[in-house]
Amino acid sequence: MSEAATLSLPSRLEVVDHVRSLGRALVAVMPIHYPRAMLRAHQLHPMEIWGPPHVERHEGSRHFQAYTCDIVVKAMSFIRSGGLDATKAILVPHTCDALQGMGSVLGDFLQPDQRVLTLYLPRGRRSSDHEFLRRELGRLARTLVEVSGHEPCRDDWDEAFEAEDAADAALADLYRRRARLAISDRDFYTVVRSREYLTAEQFCDQAAALPEGEAPQRGVGLMISGIVAEPALFDQIEAMGAYVAGDDLACGFRRVYSASAEADPLERAANRLLTSPADPTCGTPIQVRVDTLQTRMRALGARGLLIYDPKFCEPELFDVPLLRKHLNAAGFPVLHVEFEMGDRLPYQTLSRIEAFVETLS
Amino acid sequence: MSRVAAIGIDAGSTTCKLVAVDQDGTIISSLLEPTEPRVELQVQRMLDAIRAEHGANSSVRTIATGYGRKLIKDATRNLTEITCHARGVFRDLGCAGTLIDIGGQDSKVIQIGGDGRPVDFMMNDKCAAGTGRFLEYTAARLGVPVPELGARALSTAQEEPISSTCTVFAESEIISLIARGAEPDSILRGLHRSLVGRVVSMVRNVGIVAPLMLSGGVAKNEAVREMIAEATVEDVILPGEPQLMGAYGAALLGI
Ligand code: SF4
């Protein structure tokens, strides 16, 4: 296993203090895609919620069907127990039916003190999808003025886009430089995921400070797909004699956006969101996902695909049988594992991953 | 000089097995004991015994598998049960195919390729459904010794359906069946059917590539064998020592 992390990331609490000192208020944001620059232009800062640790399901589970995923149920438990009291609003993008349900339960029934904001995302990349998204973003922007009491001027928008585009570029650059970064997979993904709560500037500083040299990755290269991977998984994979050659994670590579140079802020925000890589929650056709994964796996030297999902993640589950079929046909073995967030990974799950690594060795 | 070329250890949750093989992969010696709480001490004792019996020293390659594999300090290497069972059965039966291994705490279905390596596999999730433990717990309710389970289940044509594959729920079903005066053997037959249903659904998920092979402690149970064959419409074949296949495969991988 790698040596202890050498990173020095600000804690969430430190970030909260910092953004408050900048005059920005906090917005809790559920996964996956949302317009970061728009929040910043309104003097708001996103704190993303991807299944908070040390939170039980029971409080949240009262409001959902028994099969709803941990990301949604645990976030609801967290909200109900006052974990998000410091935020001014909760933004729930329509990533999947579970999150749409959460937006409705919060906005229509529970009505917490924070304003509940929804964002309907299109399921395609046609011009009608673009137009729909632009209108949705316009609606969201108007609500954000009410939440923040701040109507952004041209300079606010420019400053926000400049900062967030730089952070997006830093994330894309991290992926490009991965093979030259002398850090473990755990550290790499800790930095990638720090985008979930750091300011754009803090994230750029962290990314720039990572040491270059020989990457310590050894053994069997895996591609990891899914929604979110917790840090312990990376240690386990390393101990099994494997490494993460690349990812197709919602909390990782699926959020490598390209910047747009449009002058109109809504147009610019919509363009950015529509550049996200292949993603089942964005309605990417299965053949496009298969082709993209194959190309990336070949380029990155990944020998197999590990699909690692929270239990009952509907959009992911729909694609699994076809991904398996097509990638197997292309010579890439696939393992699908479902896990419960926050649990120690059970022996069976670890054994399955280890056996998968052995079959690839 | 010792004939022992490698030793395989399967530190399972229910039983602990050791197999020593010669350079050709022939089993020279084996040991099998119920697993003790300190499996690492138990394995050390068994290893010492097997080494002493064959004059082997500690430089002989020793491969560990099973849930306690990472605790075995003397192991040269540790590998998962999937890889080891596949290798052991492939060597013993001499063919590729689909292996069902039903152990005390877990069960797995492994598609074995033409080189003896696993091509695809599935393990049951973290509960006792579809494992030997399911039969053991529920049969204990009926006061039937484990070695007699299969024969008793086959001794009747009457079958009490058990709808649950969950050990806890099945146990309450058994209690109500007993209270209604159902025959213990008919209940046992229903229990076997329930376990086999769970295992066969895993087999279907992985896909059947004939022949169907069975290993693990539960392979000795004739009712399980018969019901799997019935449900899959495939012949089920067994290696010579179904319980030793994990340790045997581990030993083979050490040569
Ligand atoms: S894990 Fe899946 S189902 Fe749950 S919120 Fe994320 S996308 Fe939706």
Side-chain angles (χ1 to χ4, degrees):
Chain A
M1 215 159 285
S2 301
E3 284 164 29
T6 46
L7 307 171
S8 85
L9 285 159
S11 69
R12 284 194 181 235
L13 279 180
E14 286 167 339
V15 177
V16 169
D17 289 343
H18 174 63
V19 294
R20 282 195 173 136
S21 74
L22 297 172
R24 292 182 205 147
L26 295 172
V27 175
V29 183
M30 295 300 296
I32 302 171
H33 304 285
Y34 64 98
R36 288 189 71 109
M38 182 179 284
L39 295 188
R40 180 168 172 133
H42 288 83
Q43 305 211 325
L44 297 167
H45 179 75
M47 279 280 171
E48 299 179 19
I49 313 293
W50 292 74
H54 317 302
V55 172
E56 296 295 332
R57 275 180 68 98
H58 58 261
E59 181 60 39
S61 63
R62 291 202 271 136
H63 306 285
F64 300 105
Q65 294 95 329
Y67 52 78
T68 305
C69 75
D70 275 350
I71 295 226
V72 166
V73 175
K74 289 195 169 187
M76 185 61 99
S77 291
F78 197 48
I79 293 167
R80 300 294 285 161
S81 63
L84 293 182
D85 284 358
T87 60
K88 213 162 183 183
I90 303 170
L91 172 59
V92 188
H94 179 191
T95 299
C96 57
D97 289 353
L99 277 168
Q100 187 191 9
M102 179 181 185
S104 310
V105 170
L106 277 175
D108 300 342
F109 300 108
L110 299 177
Q111 300 181 337
D113 292 341
Q114 304 93 327
R115 182 80 177 256
V116 178
L117 313 169
T118 53
L119 172 64
Y120 285 83
L121 295 160
R123 295 286 183 261
R125 301 285 152 100
R126 299 155 303 186
S127 56
S128 54
D129 294 314
H130 185 281
E131 186 43 39
F132 171 83
L133 179 57
R134 195 183 177 287
R135 269 187 278 122
E136 257 307 279
L137 291 170
R139 182 184 64 81
L140 178 64
R142 286 190 294 280
T143 322
L144 291 179
V145 174
E146 291 167 20
V147 169
S148 65
H150 177 79
E151 172 101 48
C153 63
R154 181 80 234 173
D155 284 351
D156 291 332
W157 282 109
D158 287 347
E159 186 275 343
F161 274 111
E162 201 176 306
E164 295 296 341
D165 286 353
D168 281 348
L171 179 65
D173 192 48
L174 269 187
Y175 276 99
R176 267 191 300 273
R177 291 191 296 145
R178 175 63 190 111
R180 284 179 281 121
L181 292 175
I183 54 171
S184 65
D185 286 332
R186 184 191 181 107
D187 284 357
F188 179 78
Y189 283 97
T190 300
V191 175
V192 165
R193 295 197 57 197
S194 68
R195 181 96 169 101
E196 292 165 19
Y197 62 98
L198 294 184
T199 64
E201 290 82 353
Q202 286 172 322
F203 179 77
C204 289
D205 289 347
Q206 288 293 333
L210 291 178
E212 300 233 340
E214 197 189 340
Q217 300 173 297
R218 299 273 177 277
V220 176
L222 296 176
M223 172 72 85
I224 302 197
S225 181
I227 298 295
V228 61
E230 288 167 320
L233 177 72
F234 299 110
D235 291 339
Q236 296 288 352
I237 287 177
E238 189 183 329
M240 290 170 193
Y243 69 92
V244 179
D247 81 77
D248 167 47
L249 291 167
C251 68
F253 189 79
R254 286 186 202 165
R255 300 208 299 175
V256 173
Y257 307 98
S258 304
S260 156
E262 283 291 337
D264 172 51
L266 297 184
E267 198 68 26
R268 192 165 171 178
N271 284 349
R272 169 189 180 264
L273 287 174
L274 292 175
T275 64
S276 66
D279 181 339
T281 70
C282 299
T284 307
I286 188 72
Q287 200 51 52
V288 175
R289 286 199 71 202
V290 170
D291 293 345
T292 314
L293 277 167
Q294 268 190 64
T295 309
R296 291 190 60 223
M297 286 172 77
R298 289 213 171 89
L300 295 164
R303 287 196 227 163
L305 177 70
L306 169 61
I307 306 176
Y308 187 76
D309 283 324
K311 265 195 180 159
F312 310 122
C313 174
E314 236 184 294
E316 288 286 313
L317 283 173
F318 276 124
D319 276 9
V320 169
L322 287 169
L323 277 184
R324 186 195 293 276
K325 180 174 151 204
H326 292 300
L327 287 171
N328 281 348
F332 290 113
V334 174
L335 177 69
H336 179 224
V337 168
E338 287 186 301
F339 68 100
E340 283 165 33
M341 298 189 83
D343 262 13
R344 279 184 51 209
L345 286 174
Y347 169 77
Q348 264 91 345
T349 304
L350 291 174
S351 271
R352 287 177 65 201
I353 299 173
E354 196 169 352
F356 185 60
V357 170
E358 286 169 6
T359 62
L360 301 174
S361 303
Chain B
M1 188 173 142
S2 168
R3 273 179 69 208
V4 177
I7 297 173
I9 302 164
D10 182 355
S13 55
T14 313
T15 53
C16 193
K17 287 86 63 177
L18 260 72
V19 166
V21 293
D22 66 14
Q23 199 56 45
D24 299 329
T26 306
I27 296 180
I28 308 170
S29 183
S30 66
L31 291 173
L32 186 151
E33 293 180 1
T35 303
E36 295 168 5
R38 297 291 306 273
V39 71
E40 66 278 26
L41 301 180
Q42 180 184 15
V43 165
Q44 193 57 54
R45 175 175 52 70
M46 292 168 79
L47 251 182
D48 291 344
I50 231 167
R51 283 174 180 155
E53 187 191 342
H54 295 279
N57 60 30
S58 57
S59 65
V60 170
R61 279 177 66 82
T62 304
I63 311 293
T65 187
Y67 101 111
R69 66 183 180 276
K70 300 207 165 140
L71 298 171
I72 313 302
K73 292 195 197 70
D74 260 22
T76 324
R77 193 179 170 200
N78 66 66
L79 290 163
T80 61
E81 304 91 295
I82 306 279
T83 300
C84 295
H85 277 267
R87 181 55 63 99
V89 170
F90 178 76
R91 167 71 191 254
D92 191 282
L93 292 172
C95 58
T98 309
L99 170 67
I100 304 170
D101 177 82
I102 310 178
Q105 294 277 26
D106 66 17
S107 50
K108 34 201 170 287
V109 176
I110 309 168
Q111 223 176 72
I112 306 175
D115 56 358
R117 288 158 66 106
V119 175
D120 200 358
F121 62 88
M122 188 157 214
M123 283 173 89
N124 72 330
D125 219 355
K126 42 182 179 176
C127 72
T131 73
R133 196 63 97 210
F134 173 77
L135 282 182
E136 230 174 83
Y137 276 158
T138 46
R141 266 272 151 212
L142 298 167
V144 180
V146 173
E148 290 173 25
L149 286 176
R152 294 276 299 265
L154 292 178
S155 70
T156 175
Q158 281 281 335
E159 187 169 318
E160 293 291 346
I162 308 280
S163 54
S164 183
T165 52
C166 162
T167 312
V168 178
F169 291 147
E171 197 176 347
S172 28
E173 276 190 62
I174 293 169
I175 293 168
S176 8
L177 285 167
I178 295 171
R180 284 206 334 247
E183 281 300 320
D185 291 354
S186 316
I187 301 176
L188 276 177
R189 199 174 165 90
L191 280 171
H192 280 72
R193 188 77 66 193
S194 171
L195 174 127
V196 166
R198 170 87 182 201
V199 170
V200 167
S201 76
M202 283 207 301
V203 175
R204 296 222 162 90
N205 261 315
V206 173
I208 302 178
V209 175
L212 211 48
M213 305 173 270
L214 189 58
S215 70
V218 179
K220 290 200 232 149
N221 180 313
E222 52 275 58
V224 170
R225 289 201 303 266
E226 200 173 302
M227 288 181 187
I228 290 178
E230 220 173 274
T232 56
V233 203
E234 290 285 343
D235 287 338
V236 177
I237 56 173
L238 264 66
E241 296 281 357
Q243 262 186 295
L244 295 182
M245 286 304 104
Y248 181 39
L252 292 171
L253 288 158
I255 300 177

